[in-house]
Amino acid sequence: MAVVALVLFVVMMLVIGGVRTLIQRRRTGNTGNRRSSVSRGSWEWWGLAIADVGYLMVGVGAPTAALAGVPPVAILDQSGARIVGVVVAALGILGTFGAQMALGASWRIGVDQNERTTLVTTGVFRLIRNPIFTAVAVVLTGLVLLVPNLIALGGLLVAFVGVEIQVRRVEEPYLRRVHGTSYTGYASRTGRFLPGLGRIRYEHQRRI
């Protein structure tokens, strides 16, 4: 299953990175990629870098280690779990791409602090504020089920840490600054990664 995990990871990167970028460029004349403007050593730089390391650990490091003979964690090494892993990873890729498309022209990789995009609160964004990250987590979980070694488990944890930094330290402050009460109201009623969980109550709302 290590080869299957590698293939699924490559498919994910091609679909949510390559294909989505090409669509964005064709529709808007811009790729939507803002990573080149990220300041080295900033919270965003660390968040993106840590998340990337986690993704690579799960999608490349773990399968490569498995092919080299690194054993899986016994309790997770089940044939049924591997079948579930394929299905979960495939659904996660579709979910990630769907959430990216739902953002339309507002889709970005990274944040340009001087840019203002439309706040999207419809579709799947009515349920959770960060469905793209949620769907990517689903993909990674599926890959871990396919190659359940310690590298995969560690990579999953590292990816979560990177995503948390990016969301809490970069994206949420940016959206609050740019969209003001429109965003704070949205964040107060919509979960961060799962419906109902991670809703934020801001000070100005508590004083009302």
Side-chain angles (χ1 to χ4, degrees), residues 3 34 38 40 77-78 94 105 114 120 123 130-131 133 135 144 149 160 165 168 186 189 198:
V3 173
R34 300 295 182 266
V38 175
R40 186 175 181 84
D77 187 25
Q78 308 293 331
L94 293 174
N114 298 316
V120 178
N130 301 283
F133 286 130
V144 169
N149 54 34
F160 285 162
I165 292 173
R168 293 174 183 264
Y186 170 61
R189 63 180 182 271

Side-chain angles (χ1 to χ4, degrees), residues 31-40 44-45 48 109-111:
T31 64
N33 192 332
R34 300 295 182 266
R35 294 189 65 146
S36 61
S37 64
V38 175
S39 299
R40 186 175 181 84
E44 183 171 14
W45 186 88
L48 293 171
I109 299 175
V111 174

Side-chain angles (χ1 to χ4, degrees), residues 114-166:
N114 298 316
E115 186 176 28
R116 181 186 178 93
T117 58
T118 301
L119 178 64
V120 178
T121 61
T122 57
V124 68
F125 288 86
R126 293 184 63 183
L127 302 175
I128 50 179
R129 303 197 303 276
N130 301 283
I132 295 173
F133 286 130
T134 299
V136 169
V138 170
V139 178
L140 297 181
T141 300
L143 296 181
V144 169
L145 292 175
L146 283 170
V147 189
N149 54 34
L150 291 177
I151 295 175
L153 293 171
L156 187 62
L157 178 60
V158 171
F160 285 162
V161 170
V163 168
E164 284 283 347
I165 292 173
Q166 176 68 11

